[in-house]
Amino acid sequence: MKSRYYLTTPIYYVNGAPHIGHAYTSVAADVLARWKRLDGHDVFFLTGTDEHGQKVEKAAEAAGVPPQEFTDQVSADFRDMADRLGITYDDFIRTTELRHKLACAELWRRLEAAGHIYLGGYEGWYAVRDEAFYDEDELVTRPDGSRAAPSGAPVEWVREPSYFFRLASFQEALLAHYDDNPDFIAPMARRNEVLSFVRGGLRDLSISRTSFRWGIPVPGDPDHVMYVWLDALANYITAAGFPDDSAPRWPFWPADLHVVGKEIVRFHAVYWPALLMAAGLPLPKRVYSHGWWTVEGEKMSKSVGNVIDPRALVGEFGLDPVRFFLLREVPFGNDGDYSRRALISRLNVELANDLGNLAQRSLSLVAKNCAGRLPSCGTDTPDDTILRDAADALPEALRQLLDRQAFGDALEEVWRVIRAGNGYIDRQAPWALRKTDIPRMNSVLRVLVDVLRVVATVLQPFMPESMSRMLDQLGVPASDRDLAALATPLADEALLPAPAGVFPRFDMEAA
Ligand code: MSP
């Protein structure tokens, strides 16, 4: 039986248009979802939108549109972004859906029945932009003397009746969980941050608000709406069918991986596991937190006017080059900088030159010198074997690297083989062998086709469209493109379609 794999993106706040930061989280998760499918797993990949809370309510007010209508529009825009980025989600959840309201109400009731919720009053700092409560000692002072959240978001003093979740009582259980599951939070720097936050002592968490209405009502006390993060985190179990444990997708819970940005790791690695423990539900296996993008060295912001629209980038450069760049440019987990020069340079050097040329050179020689039929191989020389072995090792190497979400390292492994392939073709010079040794020319071209097949197969999750075209040109049947199919050699003498370039070059000067 195929093993199940459940992974999620965060659900996006619908307070504005999607930008490259949102695209990043989704593309990364999508590569993993596609990779796991390619590797024979039964995948459930979830994304969606986070639609309640004060921040969204305020954005709707500013737009002069009732909140439900507003979230309908913005959520549709996020779905459009996902579709245009080739995100292969199996479900797109919206927190304003009935299934989610019912799941949240049931989660609340379970927490309450188990004695983990009490009514009190909250007095303290709140940042609407982060939808987060902050302690006095976490705040920073801005140059003008005002206080702000560590993220720079403005804070306001709130004082209202509130239900609390007994988070403090989970401190020891959380620390034990981190200890027993060293891979639960990655990368290491984030894990250390979380550990020191939890070791520093936890306070009970305010989980309801009374000062606005745009949220899920608290069961039995409709003056309160649930804190938006409680509502939001629960999306991951709603989509699996909670509370119906006979739901078809319930066997997917617990999730194998939550992909999140670094600023929301606390919610996913502290609050979420504590809530799940309190509700008697199993915990997700891993939370991976990636870094943030700046744009040409600056923080992305509407006021600076440097927000990068991922759909415009795809329109200009094509889908696959954008997906490739996002995961290639910066080690996952680190912060990175977007610049047009860096983008164009990656596309020209690594896609057009390295990979595009290798494929184009090899396939046009097959078209010209082998009558467009896949040549068969003689006995491998040591040079052939070294290249073949390097390519054949890719699936297992990528399996291990992608299980650690090391996208950049995974791509580097593939590029090592591509660069070796270019060295090989230069050394073997099949164009010269045509005049001296046809069988050897055939062998060399066949090695190249076989190596390209492995490369294109493992790159499909990153660049689905162009790798599908490359596999067409290599004569690989559409039904035989998963990792398992690599075990079966391509048929000798198969007729290959006419080769055509897969990656365009871009003009650096125009950048
Ligand atoms: N709604 C919450 C998540 C709830 S999950 C139960 C939220 N939404 S968000 O829309 O603000 O952010 C969603 C994701 O976009 C986060 O993973 C965040 O890190 C990512 N990014 C937003 N801006 C970003 C950059 N500039 N760079 C990289 N990713 C960033 O938080």
Side-chain angles (χ1 to χ4, degrees):
M1 207 185 74
K2 289 182 169 185
S3 70
R4 291 188 196 93
Y5 193 86
Y6 178 15
L7 85 164
T8 67
T9 73
I11 48 173
Y12 301 102
Y13 285 128
V14 290
N15 61 316
H19 58 60
I20 198 173
H22 307 120
Y24 185 50
T25 311
S26 288
V27 166
D30 182 64
V31 168
L32 296 174
R34 288 177 185 259
W35 173 263
K36 287 289 175 183
R37 291 189 197 109
L38 200 68
D39 202 12
H41 296 265
D42 184 11
V43 172
F44 176 34
F45 175 26
L46 177 69
T47 190
T49 44
D50 187 355
E51 306 190 8
H52 289 125
Q54 233 172 334
K55 165 160 151 158
V56 170
E57 188 183 68
K58 284 189 172 175
E61 249 164 48
V65 180
Q68 186 63 58
E69 197 181 315
F70 180 75
T71 61
D72 287 348
Q73 287 165 11
V74 184
S75 176
D77 202 32
F78 271 90
R79 192 191 278 256
D80 176 70
M81 173 195 74
D83 292 337
R84 289 219 246 151
L85 285 164
I87 307 302
T88 53
Y89 52 84
D90 298 297
D91 191 359
F92 188 102
I93 191 169
R94 300 186 52 192
T95 54
T96 50
E97 288 173 73
L98 180 61
R99 60 170 170 163
H100 182 65
K101 294 178 186 166
L102 296 174
C104 282
E106 178 57 22
L107 176 63
W108 184 286
R109 278 190 291 265
R110 286 198 194 179
L111 296 172
E112 197 166 42
H116 299 298
I117 290 181
Y118 63 91
L119 182 61
Y122 180 79
E123 187 167 0
W125 297 104
Y126 193 76
V128 175
R129 204 168 85 193
D130 299 349
E131 296 283 19
F133 300 95
Y134 290 106
D135 290 341
E136 183 74 36
D137 60 7
E138 288 183 285
L139 299 186
V140 297
T141 305
R142 287 195 289 208
D144 67 0
S146 66
R147 315 298 305 277
S151 61
V155 287
E156 58 191 60
W157 186 259
V158 300
R159 187 181 189 178
E160 55 188 315
S162 169
Y163 285 93
F164 283 84
F165 167 61
R166 294 186 194 280
L167 178 65
S169 67
F170 287 91
Q171 180 170 351
E172 292 314 314
L174 284 169
L175 289 171
H177 186 76
Y178 305 145
D179 235 27
D180 297 343
N181 300 276
D183 295 329
F184 179 60
I185 308 165
M188 198 51 97
R190 296 282 105 73
R191 175 179 154 86
N192 292 338
E193 252 169 52
V194 169
L195 285 180
S196 74
F197 173 71
V198 176
R199 284 196 189 117
L202 294 174
R203 290 175 196 232
D204 289 348
L205 181 67
S206 165
I207 52 167
S208 75
R209 305 288 309 272
T210 53
S211 51
F212 67 96
R213 304 302 318 143
W214 185 239
I216 299 179
V218 165
D221 194 349
D223 288 346
H224 291 249
V225 294
M226 293 183 200
Y227 173 38
V228 66
W229 269 101
L230 174 66
D231 163 344
L233 289 162
N235 92 86
Y236 302 131
I237 52 175
T238 303
F242 181 82
D244 174 7
D245 54 20
S246 64
R249 279 187 169 139
W250 188 244
F252 279 100
W253 188 260
D256 293 274
L257 178 67
H258 294 312
V259 179
V260 304
K262 66 178 181 181
E263 81 290 5
I264 56 175
V265 69
R266 183 184 295 186
F267 300 95
H268 284 83
V270 182
Y271 302 165
W272 183 225
L275 288 163
L276 288 166
M277 283 179 192
L281 292 168
L283 310 195
K285 295 190 190 125
R286 185 166 164 95
V287 175
Y288 193 101
S289 127
H290 64 69
W292 268 51
W293 285 88
T294 50
V295 171
E296 314 272 356
E298 274 195 80
K299 196 172 165 184
M300 208 174 8
S301 87
K302 271 189 227 160
S303 51
V304 182
N306 63 348
V307 176
I308 302 286
D309 172 0
R311 285 170 291 193
L313 272 194
V314 168
E316 183 174 1
F317 295 100
L319 173 61
D320 289 352
V322 171
R323 289 173 61 106
F324 172 77
F325 173 78
L326 288 176
L327 295 175
R328 175 65 168 159
E329 182 69 4
V330 183
F332 206 53
N334 293 12
D335 291 337
D337 186 50
Y338 165 84
S339 76
R340 280 181 72 86
R341 289 192 81 80
L343 172 66
I344 292 179
S345 147
R346 286 264 171 213
L347 305 187
N348 285 349
V349 174
E350 295 187 334
L351 295 185
N353 280 4
D354 293 348
L355 176 55
N357 275 348
L358 180 64
Q360 189 63 18
R361 289 207 281 174
S362 309
L363 287 169
S364 59
L365 287 169
V366 172
K368 247 196 308 193
N369 300 340
C370 314
R373 290 190 180 273
L374 191 61
S376 51
C377 241
T379 318
D380 280 354
T381 67
D383 206 19
D384 301 350
T385 308
I386 290 172
L387 183 62
R388 275 193 189 284
D389 288 352
D392 292 343
L394 284 177
E396 185 51 32
L398 264 65
R399 199 174 272 135
Q400 291 186 21
L401 289 167
L402 292 177
D403 271 340
R404 294 195 280 112
Q405 293 78 44
F407 299 96
D409 293 345
L411 287 170
E412 180 53 30
E413 286 296 314
V414 183
W415 254 259
R416 237 196 281 273
V417 172
I418 294 170
R419 289 189 296 259
N422 278 312
Y424 173 87
I425 195 172
D426 290 342
R427 271 193 310 279
Q428 298 293 334
W431 47 87
L433 289 168
R434 193 170 75 96
K435 291 174 212 123
T436 55
D437 188 348
I438 298 263
R440 179 63 196 151
M441 174 198 76
N442 284 338
S443 281
V444 168
L445 292 177
R446 179 57 186 261
V447 168
L448 286 162
V449 167
D450 287 345
V451 165
L452 279 165
R453 174 198 186 192
V454 180
V455 164
T457 299
V458 301
L459 285 179
Q460 290 175 99
F462 294 88
M463 300 188 284
E465 290 178 349
S466 38
M467 291 307 100
S468 146
R469 265 180 281 142
M470 192 172 284
L471 289 164
D472 288 343
Q473 295 182 31
L474 293 164
V476 182
S479 55
D480 293 339
R481 294 182 178 179
D482 60 5
L483 297 183
L486 288 172
T488 313
L490 295 174
D492 289 348
E493 299 300 318
L495 196 59
L496 302 188
V502 169
F503 296 113
R505 298 188 118 273
F506 295 93
D507 182 2
M508 182 59 103
E509 294 321 308

